[in-house]
Amino acid sequence: MTSLSALRALNIPLAPKYTPVGVFVGGTSGIGQAMAESFARMTDGKATIVIVGRNKTAAESIISTLPRAADSTYEFVSCDATLMRNVVAASQDILSRHPKINFLVMSPGFFSIKGFNPTDEGIDRKLAVNYYARWKFIDQFLPALKKAKDDGEDAKVFSVYGAGRGGAIDVNDLGLKKTYSLINSSRSGPTYNDLMMEEYSRRNPELTFTHGFPGAVLTNFGASAESTVLRFLAPLRNVALKPFASSPAECAEYMWQGVFNHTTGAFRTGSKGQNIGKERYFGTDDQRQLLWEHSVTETNISILA
């Protein structure tokens, strides 16, 4: 296994030489936190880092440990990503200060074993975080990403979820409001992300869109579960996974390799940052277009709603 120091050494030469802007949705814990910390480290603090999430205390603790430089800018923006109106509000807040974004990294999680559990916007909470909020963040930040590209800088979107772990989708029930189950959700979410990245790339060929699978990672993912039992059992998951799982810091370096090693287009990466191409790929051109139209409608919710 490659050591963490060796992984970091591989990524440092790939880091931007300008002062980049990175937005980390889900950056208050787990892989998102580790990717934000890695980003600050590899740029020696010469970066603007915006951590988006629900836990202000956690974000402030993370920010306090990041390396500092004369042009360091570290921020926290509060957002419960189960609601699209919150995504719009958070995005507008960020864009008011940062009209250019180089890296949009999305890794929010929602741990629940409930059935279909809609918000007041009618979207299942788990799918909202795993797919719809990600779609909406990209939609909101496209002008800022394009500005970075126009300036000759990186303009990359990375969704950490389940590339290669999806399944066939039902275009007659996008959003699973009729046929929701934990299995259907776990299979549909990754495929939705694949098709989302491909369609965004088709419409914005000058940008880079990557969907990554992190593999088994020792995170505190279950700590925020709604169920007391799940919160209690979550640490046992890490004990079981420890022999073959990576740490968040190791995973972050591999994920950054997946980000840096891809140019314009749509890509899928595995747990070591490798390009997995069409491995375990599901979906057709028609399904991709239907999902796009559905997503436009489903996330078109007024910020004043």
Side-chain angles (χ1 to χ4, degrees):
M1 180 179 291
T2 307
S3 69
L4 178 57
S5 59
L7 289 170
R8 288 174 173 170
L10 289 173
N11 283 337
I12 289 174
L14 304 176
K17 301 303 182 282
Y18 54 89
T19 302
V21 179
V23 177
F24 297 83
V25 180
T28 58
S29 65
I31 298 168
Q33 172 184 344
M35 290 190 73
E37 291 171 337
S38 173
F39 191 63
R41 185 183 303 109
M42 71 178 70
T43 58
D44 290 325
K46 298 175 183 177
T48 292
I49 293 177
V50 183
I51 294 176
V52 182
R54 293 179 296 176
N55 193 331
K56 181 179 180 181
T57 301
E60 290 175 342
S61 177
I62 294 165
I63 288 172
S64 71
T65 68
L66 299 181
R68 295 278 174 175
D71 47 359
S72 298
T73 302
Y74 301 144
E75 301 174 0
F76 168 69
V77 173
S78 178
C79 180
D80 174 358
T82 61
L83 294 169
M84 299 306 106
R85 61 177 178 266
N86 292 347
V87 173
V88 174
S91 300
Q92 291 182 356
D93 180 30
I94 294 167
L95 290 170
S96 70
R97 295 184 301 281
H98 308 294
K100 178 170 65 177
I101 293 171
N102 300 103
F103 299 94
L104 170 59
V105 176
M106 301 178 291
S107 60
F110 186 86
F111 192 33
S112 172
I113 58 173
K114 288 184 177 180
F116 186 76
N117 183 18
T119 67
D120 60 33
E121 295 174 342
I123 299 174
D124 174 70
R125 283 176 166 79
K126 183 176 286 187
L127 283 174
V129 169
N130 291 337
Y131 172 67
Y132 292 100
R134 301 177 191 224
W135 191 99
K136 194 65 172 178
F137 271 116
I138 300 174
D139 176 65
Q140 293 291 296
F141 288 139
L142 275 177
L145 289 159
K146 290 182 176 180
K147 186 177 189 310
K149 192 66 176 181
D150 289 343
D151 287 350
E153 299 175 354
D154 292 293
K156 298 187 173 186
V157 177
F158 189 70
S159 179
V160 183
Y161 188 41
R165 294 300 186 274
I169 61 173
D170 181 0
V171 294
N172 294 312
D173 188 28
L174 295 171
L176 304 179
K177 295 182 180 181
K178 301 175 184 176
T179 59
Y180 186 93
S181 70
L182 292 179
I183 292 177
N184 285 346
S185 177
S186 67
R187 290 176 177 171
S188 297
T191 300
Y192 287 0
N193 272 258
D194 281 344
L195 299 180
M196 168 181 74
M197 292 306 210
E198 288 181 343
E199 187 61 19
Y200 266 116
S201 176
R202 190 185 73 81
R203 293 167 180 262
N204 305 276
E206 73 276 26
L207 306 181
T208 306
F209 299 90
T210 305
H211 176 203
F213 172 62
V217 184
L218 300 175
T219 70
N220 61 346
F221 182 57
S224 61
E226 296 177 320
S227 165
T228 302
V229 174
L230 290 178
R231 290 196 298 272
F232 174 78
L233 293 176
L236 300 180
R237 165 189 175 272
N238 284 349
V239 173
L241 290 176
K242 190 172 183 179
F244 52 88
S246 63
S247 68
E250 292 167 335
C251 175
E253 299 301 329
Y254 281 123
M255 295 297 96
W256 276 117
Q257 288 180 20
V259 174
F260 291 138
N261 290 331
H262 291 111
T263 55
T264 54
F267 303 90
R268 302 163 81 233
T269 66
S271 60
K272 297 298 185 288
Q274 77 277 22
N275 190 338
I276 63 172
K278 293 292 185 179
E279 177 184 320
R280 281 191 53 80
Y281 175 87
F282 296 87
T284 66
D285 290 345
D286 288 344
Q287 289 178 335
R288 188 180 69 236
Q289 184 58 38
L290 288 170
L291 178 64
W292 177 270
E293 294 169 357
H294 162 80
S295 302
V296 170
T297 300
E298 196 76 348
T299 65
N300 187 24
I301 296 170
S302 170
I303 191 172
L304 299 177

